[in-house]
Structure formats: structure tokens, C-alpha cells
Amino acid sequence: NAGVTQTPKFQVLKTGQSMTLQCAQDMNHNSMYWYRQDPGMGLRLIYYSASEGTTDKGEVPNGYNVSRLNKREFSLRLESAAPSQTSVYFCASRGARSLGTDTQYFGPGTRLTVL
Amino acid sequence: AQSVTQLGSHVSVSEGALVLLRCNYSSSVPPYLFWYVQYPNQGLQLLLKYTSAATLVKGINGFEAEFKKSETSFHLTKPSAHMSDAAEYFCAVSAGGSYIPTFGRGTSLIVHP
């Protein structure tokens, strides 16, 4: 199993450009998450999807949109990138507690710089 | 509501010394508690978790943590630090096992030879 994969690993954008960060998991997990990590701030939740077909805002959703394409894939879109969105972005997935798989598994991250 | 506070953004120890990383939580319902480790340029990896079973939880790489309800704490310890333990450590709380954990700001563990 590849676990949680993210593409791209690195990206540099200019202010105002748009891009989509891709995330996929092969563990048949219901829940998926997007976080951003900034120095000294820990992980902050941007959006999450408790199950296929549903998405909800997290702590810092402004400037982002998400799509839960199917059970495996959860993408994060920046419509008009701003320098404040320079960060490391992590995708995570989580299974069902009833199945004993309620731990979050994280991808390797996407390092985004907005100039 | 749930929150977690990690005391100390940096902890420095000598190789072979005790490692103690502090985490205090706040939760209105019985919490699930987690410790994650992040090595440079990698994602987070679960070290251990508490889900209302035994209060002393053993994890990978020789780490363990004890849930103390009276102190609302879940400190991470390791008897003897190794150079390979140098990393960022995150404590997280999930109230009643909700879908949405809250993460602390992280503690960077520095291990000196």
C-alpha cells in the first residue's frame, strides 16, 4: 500500500495564480483532511471530508476550496494564490473506529511558495 | 470544546538522557489523545494513542505516555534519548473520539551527542 500520496511535492506560484493540490489514499478510509503547517503554529485544519460526498470547513478555510472526487481522492484548490498561503500542506486520511482504523495517516506534504 | 498545550517549543537533551515532552489538554468529554512525530521534510507519523483503555500507553521507538485525568496531562517520555529521536513532536486531542483532532504547536526535540 502506498498510504497517502500527495502531488506535487513542491510548487512556486505567483500571486493571483491558481493551482490544485492532489491527494489520494488507498486504505479505503472514509475521512480525509487538509492541513497547513506554519512555523510555530502546529497544524491547522483547512477542510475535511467525513465521508464521500461531504465536505466541511475547518479552522482556516478562507482562500481555499476542496473536492471529494471519490472515496480515494480529496483535492485542495487555491483560486487566487496569496503570499499568506505560503506553507506546507498535508493531506491525511482516517478510517472507522469500529474497524480499529481511526488513526490519522498523513501524506508527505506539498511545499508551496507564493511570490 | 477541545484544546491542547505543549509546554516548550524546544527541548534539548543529551544522548542517553531522559526525554520528557509535556502536553496538557482541555476537553469537555473524555478525550482521545495522540502523539505524532515529524522528521525533517516528512509527514506526521503516529507514535502512540490513548483511547480510554490503559492509562500508560506504549508506542514505537521506546516512547510511552501516561494519561493523568486529574492533571489533564499526557506527557511523552523515553528513558534514553538517541540521536535519531531528533524531530518535531505533536500532541493532539480528539474529544470523545470526534473526527477532528486539535493539534498542539509542536515541540522540537534536539539531541546532543
Side-chain angles (χ1 to χ4, degrees), chain A residues 40-73:
Chain A
M41 299 295 291
L43 271 72
R44 292 183 291 171
L45 183 65
I46 304 172
Y47 271 93
Y48 69 99
S49 172
S51 61
E52 186 179 357
T54 68
T55 61
D56 285 286
K57 295 179 180 179
E59 179 184 357
V60 289
N62 291 345
Y64 305 95
N65 285 300
V66 291
S67 295
R68 183 76 183 265
L69 304 171
N70 47 55
K71 192 170 186 178
R72 290 187 64 249
E73 299 172 288

Side-chain angles (χ1 to χ4, degrees), chain A residues 21-115:
Chain A
L21 282 64
Q22 306 287 354
C23 174
Q25 53 91 9
D26 61 1
M27 295 174 282
N28 200 35
H29 286 170
N30 288 326
S31 303
M32 297 186 74
Y33 309 78
W34 276 106
Y35 292 92
R36 60 178 289 172
Q37 183 180 27
D38 303 291
M41 299 295 291
L43 271 72
R44 292 183 291 171
L45 183 65
I46 304 172
Y47 271 93
Y48 69 99
S49 172
S51 61
E52 186 179 357
T54 68
T55 61
D56 285 286
K57 295 179 180 179
E59 179 184 357
V60 289
N62 291 345
Y64 305 95
N65 285 300
V66 291
S67 295
R68 183 76 183 265
L69 304 171
N70 47 55
K71 192 170 186 178
R72 290 187 64 249
E73 299 172 288
F74 189 39
S75 62
L76 178 71
R77 183 161 179 84
L78 287 69
E79 291 291 351
S80 179
S84 61
Q85 294 178 304
T86 294
S87 188
V88 182
Y89 291 86
F90 288 100
C91 178
S93 71
R94 177 184 185 270
R97 188 174 311 126
S98 60
L99 300 177
T101 58
D102 60 343
T103 299
Q104 281 185 312
Y105 292 84
F106 286 82
T110 294
R111 284 152 183 80
L112 175 67
T113 300
V114 183
L115 302 176

